[in-house]
Amino acid sequence: MPVDLFLENCRTERGTFNIGVDDGRIVKITRGRMDASERIDLRGYHVLPGLIDAHVHFRDPGLEYKEDFRSGSMAAARGGFSTVIDMPNTVPPADTTSEFKRKIKIGERKSVVDFGLHAGYSDPSEVEGILKFGPASFKVFMDSIEMGKVDVLFRRLRDLGSGVPITLHCENREIIRHSRENLGEVEEPYAYSLARPPLAEEVSVAEAAALAYHYRHPVHICHLSTRRALRFIEPFRGYITCEVTPHHLLLDSGYLRRFGNLAKTNPPLRSAETGLSPGDLPDIDIIGTDHAPHTLPEKEMGVWEAPPGIPNLEVVLRVLLTLVSEGRMNISTIRRMLAEGPARIFGLASKGFIREGMDADFTVVDLRREGEISADEFYSRAHYTPFEGFRYRGDAVMTIVRGEVVMDDGEVPGGRGRYIACHSKKEHD
Ligand code: NCD
Ligand code: ZN
């Protein structure tokens, strides 16, 4: 019997192989040949495991005018992502069993790539019900919650014997409040980085470390933005993982002067001295885009009214491959931080690795393709980026989800994404 698909001449960091795919799974990795219904020759390209973005905001339900599961997942496919994990701050938030289930249905109807979901948290009595549906984590915004309530969540998960991680947005709201008050009347977008200073993150990460260590419970810190906060994590590596975004890695607060509110995001861009840079990557677990789309009219409001967030799905891989082409990063770092790392941390048992038995998810990249980033071409509904005009070298040319091509040479023909329950099967070794 021929297999469904045979991918020929797949160059990886470990050598060049042919890959047999049947029924959406990798059935054979071989130097030989196989009988197949369809063949794709990938000579000249580099093949990565399908990339996973563990931090996207698709705004569905409730804020579909900014982005919905269809436009967001098309942006993901275009950017080389075969799986995304969506954040719960939709309207209403995905913090009850019924809203969580509703979002699974929305994604299964609209998504062109596979997806997992982070759960929100407000009512502790909802935690047990949500756990049955395989959330990637419970997400808590430390800038808008009482510490006592966070403590209750840790206890609840301990009492339920659940190892599902708690994902934290770490910025201390008291520090933010007093920093904003001290600024007085200012209107330039640059002031935003002063209103949410590095100390707000450092204090909040220290609190997160205390909670993780006290409860010996896994904590994942989103979009870390300061080098000092990274130092707080070091002694607690067994309990804490962390993430960086492309903008915190490569842009500094000067971009708020150049791009105004288009560069406004939480946590804000930092100065070159306090921020993170590619040299810090060995100490960071994953790269998440924090794809957080808004409309241009919203971004044109005053600095204090405009919503924070940057759409990144169609930017990040091009920017990272450019670093690879400049010799500032290895391609294996992309594999570790955008595939293996997210799969391990969020318990995506069938994803993240090119291995027999795993889902046939692949991101095919052309390391020589050059161009200039332009938000006009985004599949995302949010047509802006502080990376506008960035000259890149290296881009995704094909995205494959369970054996189905969902992006081919920049075009997204469609696809039927599946919900992936997290932490359900045996974890990766
Ligand atoms: C997030 C969003 O827009 O949903 N924005 C952002 O700047 N990261 C929310 C948030 O994290 O504050
Ligand atoms: Zn976010």
Side-chain angles (χ1 to χ4, degrees):
M1 277 289 281
V3 295
D4 294 340
L5 174 66
F6 195 56
L7 300 172
E8 298 176 272
N9 301 306
C10 302
R11 186 154 57 85
T12 72
E13 300 101 278
R14 295 183 177 121
T16 300
F17 306 96
N18 303 319
I19 301 174
V21 173
D22 206 44
D23 216 9
R25 291 192 176 250
I26 299 171
V27 289
K28 191 96 186 147
I29 300 175
T30 174
R31 290 190 200 273
R33 311 203 50 79
M34 280 178 98
D35 206 12
S37 315
E38 192 194 341
R39 292 168 184 277
I40 304 177
D41 188 354
L42 297 175
R43 187 185 299 274
Y45 300 119
H46 192 97
V47 180
L48 290 161
L51 300 185
I52 302 166
D53 186 356
H55 190 151
V56 304
H57 298 266
F58 281 173
R59 314 295 189 205
D60 198 348
L63 301 168
E64 295 91 337
Y65 70 94
K66 294 178 196 258
E67 192 86 290
D68 76 352
F69 238 104
R70 164 104 359 207
S71 59
S73 65
M74 287 175 90
R78 171 62 190 91
F81 292 93
S82 55
T83 305
V84 295
I85 311 181
D86 188 50
M87 284 295 172
N89 59 330
T90 30
V91 181
D95 59 4
T96 62
T97 310
S98 62
E99 282 305 325
F100 195 85
K101 282 163 68 178
R102 178 172 165 217
K103 200 190 262 192
I104 293 174
K105 289 221 176 73
I106 292 171
E108 289 201 312
R109 195 155 42 80
K110 296 189 185 175
S111 190
V112 307
V113 299
D114 282 356
F115 66 99
L117 298 176
H118 295 284
Y121 165 64
S122 62
D123 178 353
S125 71
E126 292 285 344
V127 169
E128 188 171 9
I130 293 173
L131 276 174
K132 297 196 175 85
F133 293 89
S137 80
F138 286 86
K139 166 83 182 279
V140 171
F141 293 83
M142 296 284 260
D143 55 346
S144 60
I145 193 171
E146 309 260 321
M147 277 302 280
K149 260 193 100 168
V150 184
D151 182 30
V152 169
L153 176 60
F154 275 85
R155 280 165 195 269
R156 191 91 195 99
L157 288 173
R158 182 195 58 189
D159 295 346
L160 292 165
S162 165
V164 169
I166 296 176
T167 292
L168 297 176
H169 175 133
C170 285
E171 288 185 280
N172 180 283
R173 61 175 179 171
E174 300 306 317
I175 307 278
I176 294 172
R177 189 176 301 153
H178 103 92
S179 302
R180 171 70 190 97
E181 275 164 22
N182 286 350
L183 276 176
E185 296 281 306
V186 271
E187 280 304 321
E188 318 75 278
Y190 185 77
Y192 197 70
S193 65
L194 308 174
R196 300 175 78 105
L199 184 65
E201 176 171 280
E202 291 154 17
V203 167
S204 187
V205 167
E207 289 173 340
L211 285 158
Y213 187 52
H214 184 87
Y215 286 104
R216 291 178 160 52
H217 188 91
V219 161
H220 176 72
I221 297 177
C222 290
H223 46 50
L224 201 74
S225 66
T226 63
R227 195 166 295 150
R228 267 205 212 96
L230 185 56
R231 296 285 90 88
F232 280 114
I233 295 174
E234 247 148 47
F236 308 103
R237 287 285 180 192
Y239 304 101
I240 303 186
T241 53
C242 66
E243 164 192 292
V244 68
T245 67
H247 45 277
H248 290 115
L249 203 56
L250 291 161
L251 309 181
D252 62 36
S253 44
Y255 277 73
L256 278 160
R257 296 197 198 280
R258 241 172 94 190
F259 283 95
N261 294 333
L262 301 185
K264 174 181 171 178
T265 187
N266 291 341
L269 297 175
R270 306 299 188 186
S271 69
E273 302 78 64
T274 56
L276 296 165
S277 68
D280 297 304
L281 289 174
D283 295 328
I284 302 173
D285 296 280
I286 69 171
I287 294 171
T289 66
D290 194 7
H291 179 86
H294 298 287
T295 66
L296 281 170
E298 288 169 329
K299 283 293 196 180
E300 278 154 17
M301 296 190 280
V303 56
W304 307 114
E305 292 81 36
I310 300 174
N312 270 329
L313 277 166
E314 290 159 273
V315 165
V316 60
L317 187 56
R318 293 188 235 192
V319 166
L320 296 176
L321 289 171
T322 306
L323 294 182
V324 171
S325 79
E326 291 167 350
R328 297 166 71 195
M329 186 175 160
N330 291 323
I331 196 149
S332 60
T333 303
I334 296 181
R335 181 164 48 83
R336 171 177 72 84
M337 302 188 80
L338 288 153
E340 297 171 359
R344 279 206 177 96
I345 293 168
F346 297 110
L348 295 157
S350 62
K351 305 211 177 275
F353 297 81
I354 299 177
R355 279 189 199 148
E356 289 174 9
M358 289 283 195
D359 284 355
D361 296 352
F362 305 97
T363 300
V364 181
V365 303
D366 180 346
L367 295 168
R368 287 175 301 269
R369 184 156 309 188
E370 294 185 37
E372 213 169 85
I373 288 177
S374 160
D376 285 346
E377 294 163 5
F378 284 0
Y379 279 95
S380 170
R381 292 205 172 126
H383 293 279
Y384 64 88
T385 169
F387 287 99
E388 185 73 35
F390 179 97
R391 287 212 56 82
Y392 64 85
R393 183 175 166 87
D395 194 5
V397 292
M398 188 178 282
T399 308
I400 300 176
V401 180
R402 285 176 288 98
E404 186 186 4
V405 176
V406 300
M407 186 276 280
D408 189 3
D409 204 20
E411 297 300 314
V412 179
R416 281 198 63 85
R418 263 195 209 153
Y419 175 64
I420 308 293
C422 297
H423 310 284
S424 56
K425 290 187 218 133
K426 204 169 126 291
E427 305 267 321
H428 304 292
D429 41 290

